Amino acid sequence: MSIAIFPAAGGLGGATYTSLLTLLDPRDIVLISRHPEKLRQEEERGATIRKADYDDAESLKGVFEGVKTLNLISYPSIEHEHRFEVAKAAIDSARAAGVRHIFYSSLAFGGATADPPFRAQVMLAHLDTEAYLASLHAQDPQGFSYTVVRIGIYSESFPIYNAAFDINDPPADGKIRVPHDGSGPGLAWAKREELGQAVAKLIAMYERDPEQFPFLNKLLVLSGPKEYSLAETAQVFSDVLGREIAIQEVSVDEYANLPQVQQSLGYGGANWAKPWATAFEGIRHGAAAVVTPHLRDLLGREPEAFEVTVRGMKTKA
């Protein structure tokens, strides 16, 4: 029974397989990536390396053969329809190949329920994918199961929630201009490497005893240990830099027209700044504020504090 990770060469996938290779026999692990050349060391350790790309439907045919458990990591964009369609295609290909359980790495931006009170753009494809997995289990409850793992908001991703704020090149006036006043609820930041370690432990737990796995056909949120409002997040930046950094509320239009925001959220020939701005409304609704003990329990230690991660990202002058 093989366990596969797809895509495997990205940040979360890499953190997951690095840990999983120490928990299970590498010969039971299949790493699937559009850049298999990046996985030569893992291949030398015994893992099987295969090539596939979300954007190449043909590459998905047969790539999951022999796999019984799949960790499916989401397509890296905030698109809705395309992001869901490629996830659905990967799931269908996996099911056709005989995959019996899927760990779907979703996003902790919908609270802890399947139907959140506010659906930000960044969460739409995730919610569709989660619902699709649930529907497949309902159709075949004995032959297919799933676990939705809503992955905590990466501590390292703070720029995208703070108008492309750069801890090594902060704005001269110390202002972070976003369509939000900085008050709570906020975000439960979590370090990406630790999130990958926790997912690996979930997979290993399932492999050792599927029938007793506590998250069978369930949704769980992996979060950091503490919720930070955007104002508190800015205070962390202030502490690290030794100078005042503060949130300044602006309109959605003003935010979307900031040059650094357009640069960071422009891809595929489109500017996604306005759709992304719905994230700030989601934050107001507490979409990213859920704190659970799961990350701590799986790691067996306290997760790294947001302040520590940010300080580690600051290069020395």
Side-chain angles (χ1 to χ4, degrees):
M1 293 181 65
S2 293
I3 305 100
I5 300 175
F6 172 67
L12 181 63
T16 302
Y17 76 64
T18 297
S19 183
L20 194 62
L21 286 168
T22 69
L23 297 172
L24 299 174
D25 189 334
R27 293 171 296 181
D28 292 333
I29 298 172
V30 180
L31 303 178
I32 305 170
S33 171
R34 62 176 177 167
H35 296 297
E37 68 278 3
K38 295 182 178 181
L39 300 169
R40 296 307 178 205
Q41 289 185 337
E42 290 70 28
E43 186 174 33
E44 291 174 1
R45 292 180 62 182
T48 297
I49 311 300
R50 296 177 183 172
K51 183 175 182 178
D53 187 337
Y54 264 129
D55 287 315
D56 180 2
E58 286 297 312
S59 72
L60 296 173
K61 294 180 179 178
V63 78
F64 300 111
E65 290 298 327
V67 173
K68 298 302 179 185
T69 303
L70 169 65
N71 177 205
L72 182 67
I73 299 172
S74 62
Y75 184 83
S77 81
I78 66 166
E79 297 171 82
H80 180 191
E81 289 81 6
H82 181 66
R83 195 181 197 188
F84 170 61
E85 287 303 321
V86 295
K88 181 177 181 294
I91 291 167
D92 290 345
S93 177
R95 290 280 289 123
V99 169
R100 295 180 60 85
H101 188 88
I102 291 180
F103 285 89
Y104 176 59
S105 292
S106 182
L107 179 67
F109 209 94
T113 63
D115 188 17
F118 182 83
R119 294 170 174 247
Q121 172 73 29
V122 69
M123 198 64 194
L124 296 178
H126 289 301
L127 294 171
D128 285 351
T129 305
E130 292 175 8
Y132 186 59
L133 290 169
S135 72
L136 292 176
H137 169 67
Q139 294 166 22
D140 184 12
Q142 300 304 315
F144 177 71
S145 58
Y146 69 94
T147 302
V148 168
V149 186
R150 287 191 178 164
I151 301 292
I153 309 299
Y154 299 161
S155 298
E156 300 89 339
S157 73
F158 67 75
I160 200 169
Y161 298 92
N162 288 276
F165 181 83
D166 186 342
I167 195 68
N168 292 297
D169 187 19
D173 64 0
K175 302 298 184 184
I176 297 175
R177 293 173 173 84
V178 292
H180 195 288
D181 66 4
S183 62
L187 302 94
W189 304 106
K191 188 175 183 179
R192 184 174 63 188
E193 180 183 359
E194 293 185 335
L195 291 164
Q197 292 170 1
V199 173
K201 290 197 173 185
L202 283 169
I203 295 170
M205 187 188 307
Y206 170 81
E207 289 299 314
R208 289 168 182 147
D209 195 348
E211 293 185 2
Q212 297 301 315
F213 185 62
F215 302 109
L216 202 64
N217 307 311
K218 293 182 180 179
L219 178 158
L220 76 151
V221 175
L222 291 181
S223 78
K226 176 184 173 183
E227 171 204 350
Y228 295 75
S229 69
L230 287 174
E232 290 168 336
T233 297
Q235 184 59 51
V236 170
F237 303 152
S238 300
D239 295 342
V240 170
L241 293 168
R243 50 171 288 203
E244 185 179 358
I245 304 295
I247 298 293
Q248 179 178 325
E249 186 171 18
V250 298
S251 69
V252 170
D253 285 341
E254 185 175 348
Y255 165 80
N257 286 322
L258 292 171
Q260 74 272 22
V261 170
Q262 291 190 348
Q263 182 177 358
S264 67
L265 291 171
Y267 60 88
N271 182 357
W272 288 87
K274 280 192 174 181
W276 172 260
T278 59
F280 294 99
E281 190 61 29
I283 291 171
R284 287 190 185 92
H285 280 80
V290 172
V291 174
T292 73
H294 300 310
L295 182 59
R296 181 190 65 228
D297 292 347
L298 288 163
L299 294 175
R301 64 177 188 274
E302 282 297 317
E304 183 170 289
F306 178 60
E307 294 93 330
V308 175
T309 305
V310 173
R311 198 171 293 279
M313 295 171 68
K314 175 73 172 70
T315 58
K316 295 181 179 180

